[in-house]
Amino acid sequence: MGCGRCILSSSFYVRCIYRLKMALEMRHLFSWDTEYSADSAEFCPISTYEDYLAVGTYQLADPEKALDTSNEGGEGETDSLDGAAKDVPKKRLGRLYLKQKIDEKLCLVQQIDMPAILDMKWCQHEISGTPVLAIANAVGQLLLYRLITAGEKLCLEYHCKFQIEEETLALSLDWSTGKTVSENPLISVSDSKGKITILQLTNGELVLQKRFLAHDFEAWITAFDYWDPNTVFTGGDDCKFRRFDIRAESALPVFTSRVHSAGVTSIQSNCHSEHLLASGSYDETVNLWDTRNMRSPSASTSLGGGVWRLKWHPQGKSLLLCACMYNGFHVIDTESMETVVSFNEHQSIAYGVDWWYTMKDSTHVVASASFYDHLLCLWEFKKN
């Protein structure tokens, strides 16, 4: 379908100097108007499919012009995400884009209208021979799409869904497959009522395993410990960062931290370093944790702007990619907690971000998405 609505080609260079005197070159490669507000960007992590990027959007509908999307999730003027969970009845529209990275552009392959998307993640390995994308949406559903071959091209095909609860926004999700391979993986979903839902994909269906109250207000984030899929971490608008053993019959947390002074919005386990975990918050702080001793963070830094998403480098490097809402996108070196690169070409809330899983000639490539300016960008950085 081409690379339409291109706003900016690879036209300029920005040089920044790392505080440890490492010179880096950052280059803005490509920008694209997503029309609806963009909040999620996820490169496929599976070899041979790594050039495919899923982009999720969220748009508050004009009631007089709203399309009926109530069933599209199963079949194929905006408010920000942090305000979205407080007013469920409004109709929220979404659009899923499948893009393909070709050279320095992101070309459109497919688009699917559906209820507003709040989070997406690919399973880290194929299931029954195909990549699978999970989507958390504004009508309380978890959707699964398979990346299949249709004719001479790839496309996303609806697979199955689970209705978590009516009048609830599904806010985030995570797969249990960061380190382990399973044909019946677990998926954890957090929602606007402060609850966590654990589902298992079994025989092509999502089966409920457990649902429990984790937070007093919105549960903004959920994440598996990739080294121990029985452990789930959660973060909520009650400023609590929690750890649960999902084997336990009771839903009581085995650990609660209040070190963040505002809502906890991002958590990710490091699949290359067993006990390493990162958390981010509206308090603008990124904390690193040693899961063997969680009395206090092992390291911390303030980035400015609420930290909405955190992504560890896929090849085991110490780099951590951060979407910082009102302060753009940053990459920090977690060995020093120094910022090595910043990307500030977005003019609105920085929400979605991901690494391209292929790294060539020490060049790191990133896709990022922002809200009110409905902008998707592709950029890279490398040693100068």
Side-chain angles (χ1 to χ4, degrees):
M1 296 178 66
C3 301
R5 297 201 303 277
C6 177
I7 297 173
L8 181 66
S9 60
S10 52
S11 60
F12 68 92
Y13 290 79
V14 177
R15 296 183 184 276
C16 58
I17 305 299
Y18 179 23
R19 293 180 188 176
L20 297 184
K21 308 303 182 183
M22 179 195 298
L24 297 179
E25 178 185 274
M26 191 272 287
R27 193 158 67 102
H28 185 171
L29 304 175
F30 180 79
S31 292
W32 189 74
D33 183 354
T34 60
E35 295 188 343
Y36 287 178
S37 299
D39 59 16
S40 184
E42 300 286 329
F43 272 112
C44 186
I46 298 168
S47 178
T48 74
Y49 301 100
E50 293 172 335
D51 290 341
Y52 287 87
L53 174 74
V55 181
T57 64
Y58 172 107
Q59 190 82 8
L60 184 64
D62 181 339
E64 296 182 357
K65 299 179 181 179
L67 300 174
D68 180 5
T69 62
S70 58
N71 295 317
E72 289 181 6
E75 312 295 339
E77 324 3 22
T78 60
D79 53 352
S80 61
L81 299 188
D82 50 336
K86 307 192 186 292
D87 189 8
V88 173
K90 293 180 181 178
K91 185 170 289 287
R92 296 176 170 89
L93 307 179
R95 187 173 293 152
L96 170 63
Y97 295 108
L98 181 65
K99 306 276 283 184
Q100 183 180 9
K101 182 183 178 298
I102 299 177
D103 298 325
E104 296 183 350
K105 295 182 178 181
L106 293 169
C107 295
L108 183 61
V109 176
Q110 183 184 13
Q111 67 181 52
I112 306 170
D113 287 328
M114 59 177 59
I117 296 166
L118 287 103
D119 194 21
M120 303 187 298
K121 288 186 176 70
W122 297 91
C123 182
Q124 290 90 339
H125 62 76
E126 293 179 328
I127 299 175
S128 300
T130 59
V132 179
L133 176 70
I135 300 170
N137 72 20
V139 293
Q141 296 172 338
L142 180 74
L143 310 176
L144 297 188
Y145 278 78
R146 299 186 306 158
L147 185 62
I148 65 165
T149 301
E152 297 182 354
K153 68 175 185 177
L154 293 176
C155 69
L156 288 166
E157 177 186 71
Y158 169 74
H159 182 49
C160 63
K161 71 176 177 181
F162 185 89
Q163 182 69 54
I164 294 168
E165 190 171 330
E166 298 294 335
E167 297 188 351
T168 299
L169 278 73
L171 297 176
S172 76
L173 70 96
D174 199 18
W175 294 83
S176 63
T177 50
K179 282 294 293 182
T180 59
V181 175
S182 173
E183 285 293 307
N184 304 112
L186 297 174
I187 304 174
S188 181
V189 184
S190 70
D191 67 45
S192 57
K193 294 185 177 178
K195 295 182 179 181
I196 301 298
T197 302
I198 306 297
L199 303 168
Q200 186 168 35
L201 181 59
T202 304
N203 297 323
E205 296 182 356
L206 289 165
V207 179
L208 179 66
Q209 303 298 303
K210 179 172 287 192
R211 179 164 166 77
F212 57 91
L213 184 67
H215 294 277
D216 300 328
F217 305 108
E218 294 87 353
W220 290 120
I221 190 69
T222 182
F224 280 97
D225 182 339
Y226 293 144
W227 298 80
D228 177 14
N230 294 310
T231 296
V232 168
F233 295 97
T234 68
D237 209 48
D238 53 7
C239 310
K240 295 174 184 176
F241 169 43
R242 287 182 153 169
R243 178 181 191 169
F244 292 88
D245 184 339
I246 60 175
R247 296 169 298 184
E249 291 187 12
S250 69
L252 297 176
V254 296
F255 161 82
T256 297
S257 171
R258 296 175 177 82
V259 69
H260 284 293
S261 60
V264 180
T265 47
S266 188
I267 303 169
Q268 193 178 48
S269 172
N270 189 313
C271 65
H272 296 282
S273 182
E274 182 173 359
H275 303 292
L276 183 57
L277 186 80
S279 68
S281 166
Y282 288 136
D283 67 6
E284 306 182 355
T285 300
V286 173
N287 288 325
L288 301 187
W289 302 84
D290 183 332
T291 58
R292 296 165 295 185
N293 180 6
M294 299 188 68
R295 293 180 182 178
S296 61
S298 57
S300 183
T301 189
S302 179
L303 293 179
V307 183
W308 187 255
R309 283 292 175 265
L310 295 169
K311 297 287 185 70
W312 289 104
H313 195 284
Q315 297 186 4
K317 300 184 182 301
S318 61
L319 301 179
L320 182 63
L321 183 57
C322 312
C324 295
M325 294 183 71
Y326 299 99
N327 193 35
F329 297 90
H330 306 276
V331 178
I332 61 174
D333 185 338
T334 56
E335 292 182 350
S336 63
M337 298 306 284
E338 297 282 352
T339 298
V340 297
V341 134
S342 297
F343 184 77
N344 294 305
E345 296 305 310
H346 293 268
Q347 302 301 313
S348 182
I349 307 174
Y351 275 141
V353 72
D354 203 11
W355 302 95
W356 183 42
Y357 283 71
T358 302
M359 192 175 76
K360 298 179 179 178
D361 301 323
S362 298
T363 300
H364 309 266
V365 178
V366 174
S368 53
S370 53
F371 204 67
Y372 292 115
D373 58 351
H374 33 88
L375 188 64
L376 174 70
C377 290
L378 188 71
W379 45 282
E380 69 177 23
F381 66 95
K382 61 183 177 181
K383 289 183 180 180
N384 182 21

